[in-house]
Amino acid sequence: MGVRGRWMPAASVARAMSGPRDLRRLHFIFHAGHVGSTLLSRLLDEAEGVLSLREPLPLRTIAENFSEPRLDLLLRLWERGFANTKP
């Protein structure tokens, strides 16, 4: 997809995301190891309108350092999706 990542201060991201929300419903699949969830996420990746994130680092970060504002910010980011995941 040509997407590149980089680190940014959470406050900068929050300012950039402060506009109205894109209220698409998010769904999550959590799993234990070796149950076929990677295969399922790859299959979901093929469906139109789906942004599949396999074991993203932010989930671990939320679990280790939970805060409502940080969770809200990450949900706002995931709601955006990519151009090919918009309904």
Side-chain angles (χ1 to χ4, degrees):
M1 241 187 252
V3 176
R4 294 175 48 192
R6 69 179 195 194
W7 292 100
M8 296 190 68
S12 297
V13 177
R15 276 192 303 277
M17 299 298 299
S18 64
R21 285 185 94 135
D22 181 3
L23 295 175
R24 286 187 289 164
R25 262 182 93 180
L26 297 176
H27 300 280
F28 298 90
I29 298 172
F30 294 96
H31 66 90
H34 306 289
V35 296
S37 59
T38 300
L39 176 60
L40 179 61
S41 70
R42 288 182 179 161
L43 288 169
L44 287 171
D45 247 350
E46 298 298 317
E48 188 172 320
V50 173
L51 170 61
S52 175
L53 301 174
R54 288 180 290 283
E55 301 175 25
L57 179 59
L59 288 180
R60 235 182 285 151
T61 303
I62 290 170
E64 292 169 355
N65 307 298
F66 179 79
S67 77
E68 287 285 335
R70 184 65 46 91
L71 176 60
D72 185 61
L73 177 59
L74 290 170
L75 291 174
R76 281 174 159 269
L77 288 168
W78 292 330
E79 285 170 354
R80 296 176 318 148
F82 293 116
N84 64 345
T85 61
K86 303 236 186 238

